[in-house]
Amino acid sequence: MKKDIVIVGAGYAGFYTAWRLEKLLSRGEARVTVIDPRPFMTYQPFLPEVSAGSVEARHVAVSLRRHLRRTRVVAGSVTRIDHAARTVTVTPRDGDAFTLGYDIVVVTAGAVTRTFPIPGLIDEAIGMKQVEEAVAIRDHILTAFDRAATLPAGPERRRLLTVTFVGGGFSGVEGFGETLSLAHALVRSYPELRREEVSFHLVEAQGRILPEVTEKPGRWVVDHLRGRGGNVHLNTQLVSAVGGHVVLSTGEEYDSGLIVWVAGNTANPVVTHHSDLPLTPRGSIRVRADLRVEGEQGIVPGAWAAGDDAAVPDLANPTPGALTVPNAQHAVRQGRRLAANLVATIRGREPRPYVHHNLGVVATLGLGRGIFQYKGIVVRGFPAWVMHRGYHVLAVPTWERKVRVLLVWFGALVGGRDIVSLASRAEPRRAFVSGGQPAVTTPAGPAPDTTELRHSVGTSGGSGSGR
């Protein structure tokens, strides 16, 4: 009998599961359906470079319909998983919610941005987990420089040129380093402004940043960012952001034109609150090493999970009970292993456990700057930045995306940075409605509402840049 396989979420794990299933399944063996509110998979490690204009936004978005040719793609959010009835409830952007039946469910819904009840946070901040957020960050910085250049020196100009990143993981450090590099490059094109007026703050609640690297390289990154003029606040929390006025737990206060919240992820609400699958105390789906869901009574038939919303045992870690960290390095490989295991069980064979030995960590700290660590080997500066670009151009899926990214990098090498802001795209009809009068650029004030982004299903990938 042909099996109906439903994949919830088309992030790293979901996309790679479906992509691999297309290669492994024989025609007529199964029907595969992917459900995601977005028509593409986002390659999140490139988002910091999108925010700095080093990578085009479209090139980090991998089209589902173009690359999943034998898979049914449903545009909608899964709002309920009822495994007892073998159904999922799908809420599309248009029309009424409906249910889909299945024989096998693969849950790769991913994580969502974790927030806290900090005054002003939801109203003023923006995340950096989706491509449109990264684009908005870039356009905001470019627009802020244009506005600041027309103002006299003073509080308003200082506010426009102040940027705050909250969170010292990979996303925060890479986004901070890349946009700091962009801002310092912009100063050369604005003779009205001075480099000393540009103020970038990185706020981290712990006593160190980049917890994935060891302590000494982590200290080097802090010193490096501070040496470039960045303000790194360790052991510091954001207390308030009302009206863009930042108040830190150390007592420091200042006005910030842009606040980027990258303080980690949390389990997807559809998994934690709208599913009958077994969960860990942290809200992740309990799975075996072979990625089959496991409950108190043993394996849950017809249920699999991988990526950020799955508690996958880390068999390469000698620590008892260790779980794989939620990043792209694991999610991609878990998707491939899940697909192979799923096909094996359909054909009556035993699945194999997921085992992956860490390949090291690599991060960009801005144009021409980076850090790489593999066990005791640490590479800093330009060589590490080259390694970062080399690794990710190989890791981004599909050859057409690799070629597009390489062409953009080559164009930037020849022609330099493109410093045109397209912030006015948020109101594309303004010129038409105003009768041809010059459009006034949207003020670089509060970030756009990202509530829908935070609660949509289908973002499986790394918390942070995902190495």
Side-chain angles (χ1 to χ4, degrees):
M1 295 289 292
K2 181 182 288 190
K3 299 288 186 181
D4 279 312
I5 303 171
V6 167
I7 301 174
V8 180
Y12 294 117
F15 176 82
Y16 276 91
T17 297
W19 208 21
R20 188 65 175 161
L21 283 174
E22 288 198 344
K23 296 177 174 64
L24 297 177
L25 287 169
S26 301
R27 288 193 178 274
E29 200 168 14
R31 288 183 292 260
V32 181
T33 301
V34 168
I35 307 171
D36 196 287
R38 295 170 177 274
F40 55 83
M41 184 273 277
T42 303
Y43 189 72
Q44 291 179 342
F46 275 152
L47 292 184
E49 293 199 59
V50 171
S51 68
S54 300
V55 173
E56 285 293 329
R58 288 183 181 274
H59 298 169
V60 307
V62 181
S63 170
L64 301 182
R65 293 186 181 273
R66 177 170 181 175
H67 299 290
L68 301 178
R69 306 197 174 215
R70 294 171 52 194
T71 300
R72 179 189 179 194
V73 177
V74 176
S77 297
V78 171
T79 52
R80 175 73 187 172
I81 301 173
D82 186 352
H83 192 61
R86 299 290 177 105
T87 62
V88 294
T89 302
V90 182
T91 303
R93 187 179 184 119
D94 302 300
D96 299 328
F98 58 92
T99 60
L100 281 180
Y102 62 81
D103 299 303
I104 299 169
V105 67
V106 176
V107 184
T108 51
V112 297
T113 301
R114 176 184 61 187
T115 58
F116 298 102
I118 298 172
L121 177 64
I122 297 300
D123 296 326
E124 300 296 331
I126 186 172
M128 199 174 69
K129 194 174 179 64
Q130 307 294 352
V131 64
E132 54 266 45
E133 293 174 318
V135 172
I137 290 168
R138 175 182 181 270
D139 284 342
H140 180 108
I141 293 173
L142 295 175
T143 301
F145 269 73
D146 280 334
R147 295 178 61 198
T150 65
L151 296 173
E156 179 59 14
R157 187 155 102 172
R158 190 162 54 248
R159 182 189 71 82
L160 288 169
L161 299 177
T162 299
V163 175
T164 302
F165 277 76
V166 183
F170 264 107
S171 291
V173 172
E174 290 192 318
F176 181 82
E178 284 287 344
T179 53
L180 177 64
S181 179
L182 168 65
H184 286 169
L186 284 174
V187 172
R188 294 194 290 269
S189 299
Y190 289 85
E192 304 92 339
L193 305 176
R194 293 178 293 108
R195 181 166 175 164
E196 296 74 27
E197 295 180 281
V198 177
S199 182
F200 271 63
H201 297 261
L202 176 62
V203 180
E204 169 54 42
Q206 304 301 316
R208 54 170 300 186
I209 60 176
L210 290 182
E212 294 85 351
V213 303
T214 54
E215 187 173 352
K216 187 176 180 180
R219 288 200 306 269
W220 177 86
V221 173
V222 171
D223 293 338
H224 170 80
L225 294 174
R226 286 174 172 167
R228 290 165 54 192
N231 301 286
V232 181
H233 307 266
L234 301 179
N235 295 310
T236 305
Q237 296 178 335
L238 177 66
V239 175
S240 175
V242 175
H245 183 71
V246 171
V247 180
L248 303 179
S249 59
T250 57
E252 184 175 352
E253 299 183 27
Y254 59 89
D255 290 327
S256 184
L258 176 64
I259 302 171
V260 184
W261 179 265
V262 278
N265 301 318
T266 189
N268 199 298
V270 74
V271 171
T272 55
H273 302 300
H274 306 288
S275 164
D276 57 355
L277 295 172
L279 305 177
T280 67
R282 289 180 172 270
S284 300
I285 299 175
R286 291 177 54 187
V287 299
R288 294 160 53 98
D290 58 18
L291 304 176
R292 287 182 289 184
V293 177
E294 182 177 43
E296 297 296 335
Q297 306 302 318
I299 296 171
V300 178
W304 302 72
D308 283 8
D309 55 14
V312 181
D314 189 353
L315 301 186
N317 192 323
T319 305
L323 302 175
T324 59
V325 296
N327 63 22
Q329 187 176 137
H330 282 296
V332 167
R333 291 165 177 81
Q334 286 171 12
R336 292 170 178 161
R337 171 47 47 201
L338 193 158
N341 282 352
L342 200 161
V343 173
T345 58
I346 289 176
R347 296 173 181 173
R349 301 197 304 267
E350 285 297 311
R352 293 169 51 190
Y354 170 76
V355 184
H356 173 63
H357 295 273
N358 198 315
L359 299 176
V361 292
V362 62
T364 174
L365 302 175
L367 194 63
R369 307 172 178 93
I371 186 167
F372 166 82
Q373 181 175 18
Y374 175 69
K375 296 183 178 179
I377 302 172
V378 179
V379 181
R380 306 181 181 94
F382 183 76
W385 176 77
V386 172
M387 294 170 70
H388 174 273
R389 286 205 161 182
Y391 171 79
H392 284 297
V393 80
L394 292 174
V396 67
T398 79
W399 279 104
E400 59 97 7
R401 277 295 177 264
K402 298 178 196 294
V403 171
R404 290 178 190 274
V405 169
L406 284 171
L407 289 175
V408 170
W409 283 343
F410 178 75
L413 180 65
V414 174
R417 291 179 183 269
D418 189 339
I419 61 172
V420 176
S421 169
L422 294 178
S424 57
R425 78 197 184 291
E427 298 178 280
R429 297 182 63 248
R430 178 187 285 268
F432 173 75
V433 173
S434 65
Q437 295 300 314
V440 179
T441 303
T442 303
D449 183 11
T450 57
T451 303
E452 182 179 348
L453 303 181
R454 289 193 298 273
H455 295 290
S456 64
V457 175
T459 312
S460 176
S463 63
S465 242
R467 301 297 174 270

